[in-house]
Amino acid sequence: MSAKDVAGAQSDVVAAVQQGYAFAGPALELGALVVDGKALPDAPVRIPLAMVNRHGLVAGATGTGKTKTLQLMAEQLSAAGVPVMAADIKGDLSGLAEPGEDSDRTTSRATEVGQAWTGLACPVELLALGGQGDGLTLRATMTSFGPTLLAKVLGLNEVQESSLGLVFHFADKAGLPMLDLKDLRAVVQFLTSDEGKEELKELGGLSRATAGVILRELVAFEDQGADAFFGEPEFDTADLMRVSADGRGIVSLLELPQLQDRPRLFSTFLMWLLADLFEELPEVGDVDKPKLVFFFDEAHLLFDDASKEFLTAIAQTVRLIRSKGVGVFFVTQTPKDVPSDVLAQLGNRVQHALRAFTPDDAKALKATASTFPNSSYDLEEVLTQLGIGEAIVTVLSDRGAPTPVAWTRLRAPQSKMAPADPALLTASVASSPLHGKYAAQVDRDSAYERLAARVAKPPVAPAPAPSGAKAPRAPRAPKQEKSTAEKVLESSAFKQAARSAAAVLGREITRSIFGTRRR
């Protein structure tokens, strides 16, 4: 191709991007088109704010700038009055709470892409899963979390997952609220005891051996300190959808540095938050801006070793939650980390550089390139040439059509691109209006206590001895008092109590597609 032809092709790309990204309404400014190694500020690349709830994918190899892209988008969403929820895997995102500092590198990037850069902090709320961190404690009740998500955390197979669902079904019908791990253990222990044989038989598909496996997994899970993640007060997902006094969206960050060794746990808790939002929010249809944007970092952890039913539930949730005003962005290394049924729902794509050091890398690169719309780029080549802070972008236009594929140099975040000052974060948590709501754990009457109460009947006073009767023999030394759990499991009185509990204590709980409680 001659130099004239190359220049003409480049001119066509610039014109296509300028036209394709010229949206009338508010938009998130991502950066500027790159042509021949140079960013063109007069060819901006953007996402219409109204299309952010059509979901998206931010992908790329480690160190290519995914976290900074997430930070850039979170800043602009907050400024537009849209609340944000994100997992802070390494602690880097806490920098959103502090304004960024000017530097030669920041100034250079801002000049290249035509950005008027000033340091800016966002209103940030820190959350900590089970109190494992400095943020407000995020807990879920066992009843609300449900069997499907718990089976993912425990690593159960499909048969065991189905059996766990029967355990929850039994507790729901019996009106036995399971708020924490000891409640669930008490129910499973009863079903595996001699006293629970008939109830176990009535559940049909639940065998005593499988229930025993579930019980062993629960014991091991509790030994890892998992009891801190379940209980009350349960986190209210409506608290994710707040705005500050000046109208900016609150950025809720789930800090996870202390839980990096338990990725399955935190990824599944994130899914619980999303599932709860799906069940609680009303239908709103198309909106001018999202009601909440949810960033799902390390998304591959959610899908690894997931059952077919679990993946189906995720796909259905992602597909339908758009109409409730929630946008979901999955953040991972390659698109192949996300199942095709879910990937098909993601209208906005920000693809950072990929590496091709191994045959598997080359295969992933080829698959990634094939998922983009037709373009003038040789994407298999371009995706290995992108610099840090550059990405291949295509989004949905304000008309819902895919925009031209654009090699983009991204803007610099305006908040601090490093962890925030710990003293600032500690003060922020202490002054949060939600601090009093979630600070102290509550252990109220639930399945464990109710089962114990069934067997703790007051002693019956002995009848008076008739006149002339022999004096009663001295009582034997009392046996060692059994624990409450032993009383529950060994008492024949519990059998009848469990059968009548549904009528006395409550009604069966209705569960969602994810097995979570529907309130």
Side-chain angles (χ1 to χ4, degrees):
M1 185 180 291
S2 67
K4 183 176 180 181
D5 291 337
V6 171
Q10 291 176 342
S11 178
D12 290 343
V13 170
V14 173
V17 168
Q18 288 175 328
Q19 181 178 359
Y21 290 85
F23 314 125
L28 304 184
E29 304 291 340
L30 294 181
L33 176 70
V34 174
V35 174
D36 199 20
K38 182 180 179 180
L40 305 180
D42 60 344
V45 177
R46 321 157 72 214
I47 303 178
L49 191 58
M51 291 291 118
V52 174
N53 71 328
R54 300 298 179 96
H55 312 318
L57 177 73
V58 179
T62 300
T64 56
K66 297 190 300 295
T67 300
K68 298 300 179 284
T69 298
L70 193 162
Q71 188 171 349
L72 174 67
M73 296 176 67
E75 291 172 351
Q76 296 185 54
L77 287 165
S78 175
V82 178
V84 173
M85 169 65 201
D88 193 4
I89 305 293
K90 296 172 290 187
D92 296 349
L93 286 176
S94 64
L96 282 161
E98 284 192 71
E101 296 180 0
D102 198 1
S103 66
D104 292 342
R105 187 175 181 181
T106 301
T107 301
S108 174
R109 174 58 65 99
T111 302
E112 288 175 348
V113 300
Q115 176 185 10
W117 190 94
T118 56
L120 182 67
C122 297
V124 169
E125 187 79 81
L126 283 185
L127 305 175
L129 185 56
Q132 302 293 306
D134 299 322
L136 300 173
T137 302
L138 189 157
R139 303 182 189 89
T141 63
M142 191 62 67
T143 292
S144 177
F145 200 74
T148 304
L149 295 175
L150 183 61
K152 180 68 168 64
V153 173
L154 297 177
L156 302 182
N157 62 32
E158 292 189 24
V159 173
Q160 293 161 353
E161 177 182 333
S162 176
S163 297
L164 183 62
L166 292 174
V167 174
F168 274 77
H169 173 73
F170 170 77
D172 291 349
K173 288 195 68 176
L176 299 173
M178 295 189 296
L179 305 182
D180 50 29
L181 274 177
K182 73 176 186 296
D183 291 324
L184 178 56
R185 282 185 59 187
V187 174
V188 178
Q189 284 173 330
F190 166 72
L191 291 173
T192 55
S193 69
D194 291 338
E195 297 294 332
K197 283 191 298 187
E198 290 192 20
E199 280 74 12
L200 187 68
K201 188 184 300 182
E202 291 176 5
L203 289 177
L206 177 61
S207 71
R208 186 169 182 172
T210 302
V213 171
I214 294 171
L215 183 59
R216 288 193 295 273
E217 292 295 335
L218 287 173
V219 171
F221 190 41
E222 190 169 11
D223 287 344
Q224 297 172 11
D227 52 328
F229 308 120
F230 297 96
E232 292 185 312
E234 182 178 82
F235 187 78
D236 184 355
T237 49
D239 288 331
L240 297 176
M241 309 182 70
R242 297 179 297 127
V243 296
S244 63
D246 58 3
R248 291 184 295 166
I250 300 292
V251 180
S252 300
L253 298 178
L254 181 59
E255 52 175 339
L256 295 169
Q258 298 183 39
L259 293 172
Q260 291 189 39
D261 60 336
R262 282 177 274 183
R264 183 181 287 166
L265 176 65
F266 69 69
S267 65
T268 310
F269 255 86
L270 286 172
M271 196 65 234
W272 170 74
L273 289 174
L274 191 61
D276 193 72
L277 284 166
F278 174 74
E279 294 300 329
E280 293 298 308
L281 292 177
E283 295 281 340
V284 295
D286 293 328
V287 290
D288 293 335
K289 64 180 182 182
K291 299 174 69 174
L292 174 72
V293 175
F294 200 103
F295 288 96
F296 219 122
D297 204 358
E298 300 292 342
H300 66 280
L301 299 172
L302 180 68
F303 303 113
D304 288 348
D305 301 321
S307 66
K308 181 179 179 181
E309 291 75 13
F310 188 84
L311 295 177
T312 299
I314 293 176
Q316 186 173 352
T317 300
V318 172
R319 182 172 64 253
L320 298 178
I321 203 170
R322 178 196 66 80
S323 63
K324 300 193 175 190
V326 176
V328 182
F329 278 74
F330 292 97
V331 184
T332 190
Q333 293 203 359
T334 71
K336 73 180 183 66
D337 293 335
V338 181
S340 57
D341 287 348
V342 177
L343 194 63
Q345 311 299 322
L346 312 182
N348 304 298
R349 298 278 299 277
V350 180
Q351 177 66 59
H352 289 270
L354 291 175
R355 310 300 180 215
F357 299 132
T358 69
D360 285 344
D361 291 342
K363 185 177 180 180
L365 175 62
K366 186 178 184 66
T368 298
S370 69
T371 61
F372 279 86
N374 292 331
S375 72
S376 59
Y377 298 109
D378 181 350
L379 289 178
E380 288 189 47
E381 180 179 353
V382 169
L383 286 173
T384 62
Q385 298 177 349
L386 296 171
I388 297 174
E390 293 183 346
I392 295 296
V393 176
T394 180
V395 302
L396 292 180
S397 71
D398 49 0
R399 298 182 295 104
T403 58
V405 176
W407 183 339
T408 306
R409 187 160 296 159
L410 298 167
R411 290 186 167 210
Q414 294 177 269
S415 54
K416 185 177 180 180
M417 290 187 279
D421 181 358
L424 173 67
L425 297 177
T426 299
S428 173
V429 171
S431 62
S432 169
L434 301 179
H435 185 267
K437 184 175 181 181
Y438 297 115
Q441 188 167 8
V442 177
D443 187 12
R444 67 178 175 90
D445 181 62
S446 56
Y448 182 86
E449 289 78 13
R450 291 185 181 185
L451 299 182
R454 302 279 183 270
V455 299
K457 295 184 177 181
V460 179
S467 58
K470 294 182 180 180
R473 296 175 62 182
R476 294 180 180 179
K479 294 182 180 179
Q480 185 177 356
E481 182 69 16
K482 292 184 178 181
S483 68
T484 302
E486 289 174 322
K487 292 179 179 178
V488 171
L489 299 179
E490 296 179 7
S491 172
S492 60
F494 172 73
K495 184 176 180 181
Q496 181 60 34
R499 288 176 175 172
S500 61
V504 177
L505 298 175
R507 64 189 181 196
E508 183 175 358
I509 294 174
T510 303
R511 293 193 172 273
S512 69
I513 57 173
F514 253 114
T516 55
R517 180 188 63 201
R518 299 183 66 176
R519 290 183 285 242

